[in-house]
Amino acid sequence: MTAQALVLTDNAAKKVRQLRDSEGNQALMLRVYVTGGGCSGFSYGFNFAEGANDDDASFENGDVKMLVDSLSYQYLVGSQVDYIEGLEGSRFIVKNPNATTTCGCGSSFSV
């Protein structure tokens, strides 16, 4: 797995740093995963992890790490994880070149 198979944008890394600081835990890493369900077949999920699992791929932007498990990795190769603030609220998003269709809110997709 190459280090640039997935990209964590500067904006997303900045938000993770802010969240880490607010939690007072510099060990927190952003975990990105794919689950079944959602209006287009698969959904993106985000949470924080303090450690990596054996099957995780790790991607970095400066001092921020993003983890992806091996099952989710196949659906996310080449994707960019970003953070946006807009009319629909503030959220992490995935710009996924593998998705053939996405829902209107961008939180689910199909391949």
Side-chain angles (χ1 to χ4, degrees), residues 1 6 8-9 16-17 19 23 34 37 46 62 73 79 96 98:
M1 295 183 216
L6 276 84
L8 181 67
T9 67
V16 172
R17 279 185 204 97
L19 293 169
E23 291 292 318
V34 172
F46 304 93
Y73 181 85
S79 294
N96 188 344
N98 305 307

Side-chain angles (χ1 to χ4, degrees), residues 23-47:
E23 291 292 318
N25 186 350
Q26 295 305 305
L28 291 177
M29 297 171 272
L30 179 66
R31 177 174 294 283
V32 181
Y33 58 93
V34 172
T35 59
C39 46
S40 293
F42 294 102
S43 294
Y44 301 112
F46 304 93
N47 63 30

Side-chain angles (χ1 to χ4, degrees), residues 57-80:
S58 176
F59 307 93
E60 297 181 16
N61 179 325
D63 63 340
V64 175
K65 278 191 180 180
M66 174 175 63
L67 303 173
V68 179
D69 66 84
S70 60
L71 288 174
S72 299
Y73 181 85
Q74 62 188 323
Y75 298 107
L76 295 171
V77 171
S79 294
Q80 184 180 66

